[in-house]
Amino acid sequence: VGAELTCTMAEEDETGIRILQSLRGKICEAKNLVPCPGPNRMRDCFCTVSLDQEEVFRTKVFEKSLSPFYGEDFYFEIPRPFQYLSFYVYAKSVFQRDLPVGKVAIRKDDLCKFSGKEHWFSLQPVDPNSEVQGKVHLEMKLNELITDNGSVCQQLVVRIIECQGLPLVNGQSCDAYATVSLIGPARSDQKKTKVKKKTSNPQFEETFYFEVTRSSSYTKKSQFQVEEEDIEKLEIKVDLWNNGNLVQDVFLGETRVSVKILRNDSSHRAWYLLQPKDNGNKTSKTDDLGSLRLNVTYTEDNVLPSIYYISLRDLLLKSPDVKPISASAAHILGDICRERYEAVLPVVRLLLHHNRLVPFVSAIAALELEQTQEANTIFRGNSLATRCIDDTMKIVGKSYLTVTLKPVLDEICDSNKTCEIDPVRLKEGDNVEVNKENLHQYVQKVFNSIIQSSMSCPTLMCDVFNSLRQLATKRFPDDPHVQYSAVSSFVFLRFFAVAVLSPHSFHLRAHHPDADVSRTLTLISKTIQTLGSWGSLSKNKLSSFKESYMYDFFKSFQEEKCIEEVKKFLDEISSNESKESSGVEESVVHKEGEVHKRAQGRKRIGKKNFKKRWLRLSTRELSYHKAKGKDALCIIPIKNILAVEKLEESAFNRKNMFQVIHTEKPLYVQANNCVEANEWIEILSRVSRCNQGRLNSYHPSAYLCGNWLCCKATSETQPGCKPCTATMPANIQLDIDCDREIERIFSLFVSNAHKLQKLEEACASIAVYQGPQKEQDDYSHFTIQDPRVTFKTINQIRDISEQLREHHEKFQKKRSTSAKYGSEDNPIVGMVS
């Protein structure tokens, strides 16, 4: 399961709706890639994810294979509009630029067709003429002119106003220019704008004139074969290019507009999305490039203003108090979305934010225990209770995992000692005894890190474990082990063991480990699961392990000692006594990565203005370093941060910039892409949200050459000219946007309305006839303890959902009228040649 980052970066549009886009998926594997020419036919390949032409994610390199397995999860918020989601496969090159092997490009409107399921996609060739991004603002007019001899001719006026969102070329902003061509059956006139240097949003403001009809004074010697042209057959073609200076110019996109658009109106002004040239020059032979297996889920949440969610919010927050719990709105959602694992997450996050999660989890756990007949099967299934507790641990225990496991997992993955103990899998030259010793050392380090971590276990997790322990003891009073197995089944089997197995999914490692390390982690994870369950297992159960080599390996651990250590740990994390803090809060790294930072106090001109730096944010401070692992060059305490905002591209002619305003000079940072910039701004805003003295206004541009570029104020201490971005109401530690979670819950109720209807019919049937009258299969997967109370809740859900649906329709109608086709927010998809 991919670890989740939840940022809310989208701005409200004019209607008050926040449109929040997110993308979740997995790059699984490629197969049958084109062999490398020469005797060594294998390739070292990696895969990237791009929004249009902007790379936002990259896998690690898989060496020497034509069928590389990546297995890498990704999740990110999409902070800007886009046309295509693209996946590129590259062959790594040492001495020259990486070679594109092929790509999969999915139009945004088509993403819903592939949502949530794995698909094999054929790789398409990477053609420079199909790699486009951005939009262009045009104005066209048709004027009548009177010639010297008194006759009338028509003149087409084309004004290129500006472009937005052009791609970076070789990591740099474009030196963009446009060609404007009038194309018809018998002519092709072309004109060209000036080059606008180092910008992705060039302001052209150039006007071009074309004669489109000829007066009778034209003679047969004219270069035109006809005297009168059919305007209906003429079109304007605008091509955008990056000026290559000494190398070939790079095509950036085109759009075509038929002149007949002026048939009923003398002028036309609109935004157009740039399109590929000649539809990307697709060739018929693409099967031989190989294929890529992907799992992609694109989500777009249209979040209304908070006031519209009050009724559904209140109904959901009452859930822990409803008797019986199965009649609550939250439980009903889990019931009708039983096969959709992600459906539980918004409920968990909402209840967590409002401090209502522990009573709800306790109630549904008690319900599950009522239906459990044997103590040794406790919390084994994929029930609503286990799913809620799983999600709770992943959200609340994120920092806990980092503090407890990251140091030892880094050591295991980086040292990569051989640990294979299966005789069948041993490679030539392997020494099984040495491997056993390596594995034993690794297991002991992981085990010790866990059992010594009780002081770091979040209080909320301890509260949940305490409740589970009491409920299990009450349900099975004669079983002395059940109080431990109720807790270990979650904290060892579903939390620590899973994180060890897939550290990349919990952001403990950047990438999926290679095959050898993955095998080592699998063996460690299996051992940790068993060690964690020893506190509640009788000794004879150890003999049931199906692998004899694993049984032999377990005998190397001191069983009685491990049992006592596990019991002590489980006692500590499930105690209702408050833990004694050491008074020193563990510093946790929230985010780190490579950025470009502007040197402070330097002149604007010159490449030395920006340098690569390693940016690191912990719970206490923001620091930058010359490289990862090096000493900090500068440290900014979190308490000193006054605002974190975007920086206009025009300040330094660089995209994806943000500024950290603190008690000294602002820190100007350029992220590698829009997603990373979004994540840095979000998390820095979150950790500094409660700081004293936060600013109400800021300057969106820089102070250069004696004035602020944004407002032209000459004083460097002049208060900001733009209000600071209002951060969404959210839990500071967990960053929960409650309105968004309720919107997702509403969407789940709507998309599962047919199941809600079935549940309602089951309640009515049971209430009236004292038992289900239809086939048992229709109702067997529903939990109905009290049909009348459940029926009442369903009707409340239905009424509230209908009201929300009407509000959505009203807002969408308002939005569709405000976002006219051809406006900046809703550009026209131009004709493709």
Side-chain angles (χ1 to χ4, degrees):
V1 180
E4 182 165 310
L5 301 173
T6 52
C7 310
T8 52
M9 199 46 208
E11 297 177 359
E12 290 189 13
D13 64 12
E14 292 177 4
T15 64
I17 296 179
R18 287 185 296 132
I19 302 167
L20 306 175
Q21 307 173 94
S22 61
L23 192 71
R24 175 190 301 283
K26 187 170 192 172
I27 301 173
C28 303
E29 61 179 317
K31 69 176 183 180
N32 302 328
L33 299 181
V34 180
C36 192
N40 182 11
R41 297 167 62 81
M42 297 294 106
R43 291 184 182 273
D44 298 343
C45 291
F46 64 93
C47 191
T48 67
V49 183
S50 293
L51 296 173
D52 296 323
Q53 293 306 294
E54 185 176 17
E55 181 185 316
V56 294
F57 180 81
R58 178 180 291 213
T59 69
K60 70 173 186 178
V61 178
F62 197 98
E63 297 180 348
K64 296 181 177 58
S65 176
L66 298 180
S67 296
F69 179 83
Y70 298 108
E72 297 212 21
D73 301 301
F74 58 86
Y75 178 91
F76 50 81
E77 297 289 325
I78 302 175
R80 63 169 178 80
F82 70 102
Q83 292 188 68
Y84 285 90
L85 174 70
S86 300
F87 300 83
Y88 294 81
V89 177
Y90 287 93
K92 188 74 178 170
S93 178
V94 179
F95 301 110
Q96 54 190 3
R97 188 171 296 170
D98 298 327
L99 175 70
V101 177
K103 72 171 183 177
V104 173
I106 308 173
R107 189 182 287 272
K108 177 184 173 181
D109 295 339
D110 294 333
L111 283 169
C112 58
K113 299 176 185 176
F114 309 105
S115 184
K117 295 181 180 178
E118 288 186 359
H119 291 82
W120 280 102
F121 296 87
S122 295
L123 290 174
Q124 304 294 323
V126 179
D127 173 19
N129 288 332
S130 70
E131 308 294 292
V132 303
Q133 173 185 314
K135 55 190 174 184
V136 59
H137 195 190
L138 306 176
E139 184 177 33
M140 295 167 54
K141 292 181 182 178
L142 205 55
N143 294 337
E144 287 192 347
L145 296 179
I146 300 176
T147 61
D148 293 340
N149 63 4
S151 61
V152 178
C153 72
Q154 286 187 304
Q155 182 186 58
L156 180 64
V157 182
V158 181
R159 178 172 159 232
I160 306 294
I161 303 169
E162 62 178 312
C163 283
Q164 284 190 6
L166 297 181
L168 298 176
V169 177
N170 298 330
Q172 300 294 322
S173 294
C174 302
D175 291 344
Y177 70 90
T179 59
V180 184
S181 306
L182 179 64
I183 299 173
R187 68 187 294 181
S188 180
D189 296 354
Q190 185 179 93
K191 302 178 187 289
K192 178 181 171 182
T193 69
K194 295 176 182 177
V195 176
K196 299 294 180 180
K197 289 187 173 293
K198 299 286 181 256
T199 176
S200 299
N201 304 313
Q203 304 288 316
F204 291 112
E205 285 294 353
E206 293 194 42
T207 305
F208 302 100
Y209 301 90
F210 301 90
E211 288 187 4
V212 291
T213 60
R214 303 295 187 276
S215 66
S216 57
S217 63
Y218 274 83
T219 65
K220 294 294 181 184
K221 294 181 181 178
S222 169
Q223 58 178 313
F224 303 104
Q225 295 176 357
V226 289
E227 292 178 2
E228 293 293 330
E229 288 187 288
D230 185 357
I231 291 179
E232 298 278 314
K233 296 180 181 178
L234 295 176
E235 68 178 20
I236 284 292
K237 181 165 80 84
V238 178
D239 291 278
L240 270 296
W241 298 86
N242 180 63
N243 183 35
N245 292 323
L246 300 178
V247 296
Q248 187 175 359
D249 292 354
V250 177
F251 175 74
L252 301 176
E254 70 170 32
T255 191
R256 295 181 177 229
V257 186
S258 174
V259 177
K260 68 182 178 184
I261 202 167
L262 298 171
R263 183 193 302 153
N264 301 320
D265 200 347
S266 60
S267 67
H268 169 73
R269 179 169 172 161
W271 284 88
Y272 284 83
L273 283 175
L274 295 174
Q275 299 296 309
K277 183 184 289 186
D278 299 328
N279 206 18
N281 283 337
K282 288 186 179 177
T283 61
S284 57
K285 294 184 178 180
T286 59
D287 293 338
D288 55 353
L289 295 179
S291 55
L292 192 62
R293 181 163 62 94
L294 303 169
N295 188 334
V296 179
T297 300
Y298 168 76
T299 305
E300 183 176 292
D301 298 312
N302 293 290
V303 183
L304 303 176
S306 298
I307 190 171
Y308 295 98
Y309 294 113
I310 291 174
S311 297
L312 185 53
R313 182 199 68 194
D314 290 347
L315 182 64
L316 290 160
L317 293 182
K318 286 177 185 173
S319 294
D321 303 323
V322 174
K323 300 287 190 293
I325 191 66
S326 61
S328 67
H331 192 285
I332 288 171
L333 179 68
D335 236 8
I336 63 174
C337 302
R338 192 177 292 258
E339 67 281 0
R340 292 188 62 180
Y341 194 89
E342 75 279 5
V344 172
L345 186 60
V347 173
V348 169
R349 295 173 73 83
L350 179 69
L351 295 176
L352 186 58
H353 179 81
H354 290 280
N355 297 317
R356 301 289 286 149
L357 183 62
V358 176
F360 178 70
V361 167
S362 299
I364 59 176
L367 175 60
E368 179 172 336
L369 284 169
E370 285 176 23
Q371 301 162 351
T372 304
Q373 301 306 315
E374 295 182 25
N376 62 357
T377 62
I378 191 169
F379 299 126
R380 286 287 180 88
N382 185 24
S383 64
L384 179 60
T386 58
R387 287 153 66 195
C388 281
I389 297 170
D390 277 359
D391 282 337
T392 301
M393 292 190 299
K394 283 172 189 147
I395 298 167
V396 178
K398 195 171 166 186
S399 295
Y400 179 35
L401 276 180
T402 303
V403 170
T404 306
L405 290 184
K406 187 168 180 19
V408 65
L409 288 178
D410 284 344
E411 179 188 341
I412 292 168
C413 294
D414 294 339
S415 60
N416 193 16
K417 294 178 182 176
T418 307
C419 295
E420 185 56 71
I421 59 173
D422 182 354
V424 178
R425 291 173 175 255
L426 288 174
K427 298 176 183 176
E428 188 176 347
D430 279 354
N431 185 320
V432 70
E433 294 305 319
V434 172
N435 292 359
K436 272 186 183 179
E437 181 58 30
N438 291 340
L439 182 59
H440 191 283
Q441 289 178 6
Y442 282 159
V443 169
Q444 198 66 58
K445 285 185 178 182
V446 173
F447 182 68
N448 289 341
S449 295
I450 293 171
I451 62 172
Q452 294 168 10
S453 70
S454 60
M455 293 302 297
S456 302
C457 186
T459 303
L460 191 134
M461 282 175 63
C462 294
D463 291 343
V464 170
F465 296 151
N466 177 252
S467 176
L468 293 177
R469 183 174 181 168
Q470 293 184 20
L471 290 168
T473 303
K474 184 179 178 181
R475 175 70 179 86
F476 299 102
D478 299 328
D479 190 323
H481 302 299
V482 74
Q483 60 176 319
Y484 296 110
S485 60
V487 179
S488 66
S489 62
F490 287 104
V491 73
F492 277 100
L493 273 65
R494 295 172 177 264
F495 188 57
F496 285 124
V498 178
V500 169
L501 187 65
S502 303
H504 59 290
S505 298
F506 292 83
H507 293 273
L508 300 174
R509 295 286 293 178
H511 296 290
H512 187 283
D514 61 36
D516 290 339
V517 174
S518 187
R519 173 62 179 165
T520 298
L521 294 176
T522 300
L523 293 171
I524 296 171
S525 179
K526 290 172 76 171
T527 313
I528 291 298
Q529 286 185 46
T530 307
L531 289 175
S533 64
W534 263 1
S536 56
L537 288 176
S538 56
K539 297 176 187 178
N540 61 1
K541 290 192 178 182
L542 287 178
S543 60
S544 64
F545 290 113
K546 57 185 178 182
E547 303 105 335
S548 59
Y549 63 88
M550 287 300 288
Y551 175 70
D552 292 337
F553 177 64
F554 283 123
K555 290 195 296 188
S556 65
F557 290 90
Q558 297 178 33
E559 186 176 335
E560 292 298 335
K561 182 185 175 188
C562 287
I563 290 174
E564 290 308 311
E565 288 175 331
V566 169
K567 283 186 175 181
K568 182 174 180 291
F569 171 69
L570 296 175
D571 282 335
E572 289 170 347
I573 65 169
S574 59
S575 169
N576 56 7
E577 297 178 6
S578 59
K579 293 178 292 183
E580 292 183 11
S581 173
S582 62
V584 180
E585 184 185 349
E586 192 85 36
S587 181
V588 176
V589 177
H590 288 304
K591 183 173 176 62
E592 58 182 335
E594 192 175 75
V595 298
H596 284 81
K597 183 200 74 72
R598 183 179 184 257
Q600 300 191 5
R602 300 244 185 175
K603 294 181 180 178
R604 186 179 184 184
I605 302 170
K607 289 186 177 180
K608 289 184 179 178
N609 258 336
F610 284 85
K611 291 186 177 181
K612 278 187 182 180
R613 291 291 182 256
W614 188 262
L615 196 62
R616 188 174 188 265
L617 174 66
S618 73
T619 47
R620 297 176 189 151
E621 61 197 26
L622 175 69
S623 57
Y624 59 81
H625 312 245
K626 195 165 187 178
K628 184 178 182 180
K630 300 288 186 181
D631 292 339
L633 298 174
C634 177
I635 295 175
I636 302 171
I638 296 296
K639 63 182 181 180
N640 290 355
I641 296 177
L642 305 177
V644 183
E645 298 287 348
K646 290 181 179 178
L647 191 71
E648 289 179 353
E649 181 186 332
S650 57
F652 300 106
N653 287 329
R654 287 174 177 252
K655 297 184 76 169
N656 304 318
M657 287 206 66
F658 63 93
Q659 53 182 321
V660 181
I661 305 169
H662 58 111
T663 48
E664 297 179 21
K665 283 192 174 184
L667 180 68
Y668 296 129
V669 180
Q670 182 186 28
N672 291 322
N673 55 62
C674 65
V675 169
E676 282 196 17
N678 174 46
E679 291 174 354
W680 275 114
I681 293 170
E682 281 296 325
I683 196 162
L684 282 164
S685 298
R686 190 163 80 241
V687 299
S688 62
R689 185 174 292 153
C690 295
N691 284 357
Q692 291 184 349
R694 275 188 66 93
L695 300 180
N696 295 317
S697 60
Y698 76 104
H699 290 285
S701 195
Y703 184 82
L704 297 169
C705 304
N707 66 75
W708 289 99
L709 299 181
C710 43
C711 59
K712 307 306 178 188
T714 55
S715 172
E716 194 169 358
T717 58
Q718 176 78 20
C721 57
K722 185 176 180 180
C724 284
T725 306
T727 53
M728 290 304 303
N731 181 298
I732 294 167
Q733 284 76 34
L734 302 173
D735 190 34
I736 295 172
D737 181 347
C738 289
D739 292 344
R740 187 181 195 179
E741 305 304 338
I742 300 170
E743 171 60 31
R744 287 185 170 179
I745 292 168
F746 159 68
S747 299
L748 287 165
F749 277 132
V750 171
S751 60
N752 290 275
H754 62 292
K755 292 183 180 178
L756 201 61
Q757 178 70 33
K758 277 191 174 184
L759 179 57
E760 185 180 42
E761 290 171 0
C763 292
S765 177
I766 294 169
V768 174
Y769 299 107
Q770 300 302 311
Q773 300 301 302
K774 294 189 179 182
E775 291 296 324
Q776 186 65 26
D777 288 347
D778 289 344
Y779 304 144
S780 60
H781 58 282
F782 294 133
T783 304
I784 305 173
Q785 292 174 283
D786 187 324
R788 295 180 187 277
V789 181
T790 307
F791 188 89
K792 180 182 175 183
T793 307
I794 292 170
N795 277 296
Q796 289 176 303
I797 293 169
R798 197 188 303 283
D799 291 344
I800 292 170
S801 296
E802 181 59 28
Q803 291 171 14
L804 269 173
R805 189 186 61 79
E806 290 174 1
H807 290 313
H808 269 286
E809 287 181 355
K810 182 182 74 174
F811 274 95
Q812 292 297 343
K813 187 175 181 181
K814 184 179 176 182
R815 185 165 169 253
S816 64
T817 55
S818 65
K820 178 184 173 186
Y821 192 47
S823 66
E824 184 176 346
D825 293 330
N826 190 17
I828 296 169
V829 180
M831 300 179 344
V832 182
S833 53

